[in-house]
């Protein structure tokens, strides 16, 4: 009986797993940090444009991170019944009517 021997294959960068630091940087932040990033992006957009963003708005924060501000705001509206008073107040101060 013949044995199948795997042939050696050159390893490419696609075969190597990404580093832990790269994975951590690409993951969305959770908890209060994610909300703070959203408020920061929303405040920056409102200060510049004078209105709330549409769903497709992507805001670039001062640290260079892109934030999908329009989608984030829609998600906050969908979850408004689970937001605490401080978070609702922060959104209301930026002109979000449904947060009042």
């Amino acid at each position: 009986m013949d044995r199948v021997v795997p042939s050696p294959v050159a390893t490419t960068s696609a075969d190597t797993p990404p580093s832990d630091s790269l994975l951590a940087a690409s993951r969305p932040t959770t908890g209060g940090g994610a909300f703070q990033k959203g408020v920061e992006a929303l405040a920056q957009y409102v200060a510049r444009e004078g209105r709330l963003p549409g769903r497709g708005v992507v805001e670039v924060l001062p640290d260079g991170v892109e934030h999908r501000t329009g989608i984030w705001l829609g998600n906050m509206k969908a979850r408004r019944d689970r937001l605490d008073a401080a978070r609702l107040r922060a959104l209301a101060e930026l002109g979000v009517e449904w947060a009042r």
Side-chain angles (χ1 to χ4, degrees):
M1 178 178 234
D2 293 329
R3 289 181 56 180
V4 177
V5 178
S7 63
V9 177
T11 304
T12 64
S13 62
D15 296 332
T16 57
S19 68
D20 289 338
S21 61
L22 179 61
L23 286 174
S26 65
R27 287 188 190 120
T29 56
T30 58
F35 184 81
Q36 280 308 114
K37 285 277 189 188
V39 168
E40 180 183 347
L42 182 60
Q44 179 178 298
Y45 182 86
V46 169
R48 186 182 66 246
E49 301 292 330
R51 60 183 175 84
L52 294 177
R55 185 130 179 102
V57 169
V58 176
E59 193 68 16
V60 179
L61 296 173
D63 60 3
V65 174
E66 289 186 349
H67 186 274
R68 298 178 349 181
T69 311
I71 290 174
W72 175 83
L73 187 58
N75 288 342
M76 292 303 102
K77 183 176 182 180
R79 299 174 186 144
R80 65 182 170 242
D81 58 331
R82 293 176 285 194
L83 295 175
D84 61 34
R87 290 181 175 191
L88 287 169
R89 191 171 37 258
L91 292 170
E93 288 173 2
L94 291 170
V96 179
E97 289 295 321
W98 53 259
R100 296 182 193 277

